[in-house]
């Protein structure tokens, strides 16, 4: 699962696509959002300002204020734009392989320079607008990744009652725990190990949907 420059979650269909501006408006948006990512990567949340973004993007700051209002609005649009892609989870032919490939994507995105994904996660704790957009992004990614579990059930690797969200969270959580919370160096063996642990637990029924009491 990737975030801007790097959504796993839940049941139900993906949210309806957001309307996308065209022409000059689209070019201005692209320039501004690229500038937000560059400024965030170089200076972090505390160094991110509307004025700096406008200058880097080559647009008048009044334009930025009018459309995005503030830094929170800029960050939210960066995250929303990340959900406008056509990304889909890998299909390796096995549950363990799919989960390992997802974890490899996470590790690669978290280790990229500049550290955009890390900076966006950090910014979501400082801005409510960014936090809401971050939740929308993860919701979309988890929804897209449900196909990984659906395919595994069809292949007979998992019980039909497997809860996709719980399994996906368990499979990817070690990546964020090590890379974000513990801030350890990327471990080449971790993506596959975390995937195998989750796949074995899921095959044993650890992520079954709770039945009625």
């Amino acid at each position: 699962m990737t975030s801007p420059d790097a959504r796993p979650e839940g049941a139900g269909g993906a949210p309806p696509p957001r309307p996308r501006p065209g022409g000059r408006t689209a070019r201005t948006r692209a320039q501004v959002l690229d500038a937000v990512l560059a400024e965030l990567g170089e200076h972090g949340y505390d160094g991110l300002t509307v004025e700096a973004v406008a200058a880097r993007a080559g647009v008048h700051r009044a334009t930025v204020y009018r459309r995005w209002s503030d830094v929170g609005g800029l960050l939210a649009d960066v995250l929303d734009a990340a959900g406008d892609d056509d990304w889909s989870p890998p299909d390796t032919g096995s549950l363990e392989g799919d989960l390992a490939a997802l974890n490899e994507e996470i590790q690669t995105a978290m280790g990229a320079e500049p550290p955009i994904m890390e900076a966006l996660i950090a910014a979501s704790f400082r801005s409510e607008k960014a936090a809401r957009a971050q939740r929308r992004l993860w919701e979309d990614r988890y929804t897209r990744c449900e196909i990984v579990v659906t395919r595994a059930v069809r292949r007979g690797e998992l019980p039909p009652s497997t809860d996709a969200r719980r399994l996906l969270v368990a499979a990817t959580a070690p990546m964020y725990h090590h890379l974000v919370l513990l801030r350890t160096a990327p471990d080449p063996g971790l993506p596959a190990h975390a995937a195998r642990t989750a796949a074995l637990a899921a095959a044993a029924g650890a992520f079954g949907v709770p039945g009625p009491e």
Side-chain angles (χ1 to χ4, degrees), residues 54-213:
R56 185 183 284 260
V59 302
H60 198 283
R61 65 180 182 179
T63 300
V64 180
Y65 277 115
R66 183 169 58 251
R67 175 161 181 179
W68 289 276
S69 180
D70 54 20
V71 164
L74 288 166
L75 289 167
D77 200 22
V78 164
L79 289 160
D80 284 338
D84 290 337
D85 62 10
D86 58 358
W87 179 88
S88 60
D91 185 357
T92 67
S94 73
L95 174 64
E96 186 177 332
D98 289 354
L99 295 176
L102 284 172
N103 284 344
E104 289 282 2
E105 288 192 21
I106 292 169
Q107 183 154 270
T108 297
M110 289 299 300
E113 290 292 339
I116 298 298
M117 188 173 177
E118 180 180 331
L120 283 167
I121 291 173
S124 71
F125 287 91
R126 306 283 298 277
S127 162
E128 182 54 36
K129 290 180 182 178
R132 290 195 297 267
Q134 183 88 276
R135 287 192 292 271
R136 290 193 296 269
L137 180 61
W138 287 118
E139 183 67 37
D140 173 74
R141 288 293 189 251
Y142 277 118
T143 297
R144 297 192 201 192
C145 286
E146 285 184 355
I147 188 62
V148 168
V149 179
T150 300
R151 290 193 300 245
V153 171
R154 290 173 181 165
R155 289 191 296 260
E157 294 180 274
L158 294 176
S161 62
T162 301
D163 186 312
R165 173 73 61 87
R166 292 173 61 203
L167 169 52
L168 290 165
V169 169
T172 58
M175 307 305 301
Y176 296 105
H177 187 89
H178 282 271
L179 297 170
V180 179
L181 299 181
L182 295 179
R183 302 185 69 81
T184 56
D187 178 353
L190 180 59
H193 182 269
R196 180 167 177 75
T197 301
L200 288 172
F207 302 108
V209 177
E213 295 184 4

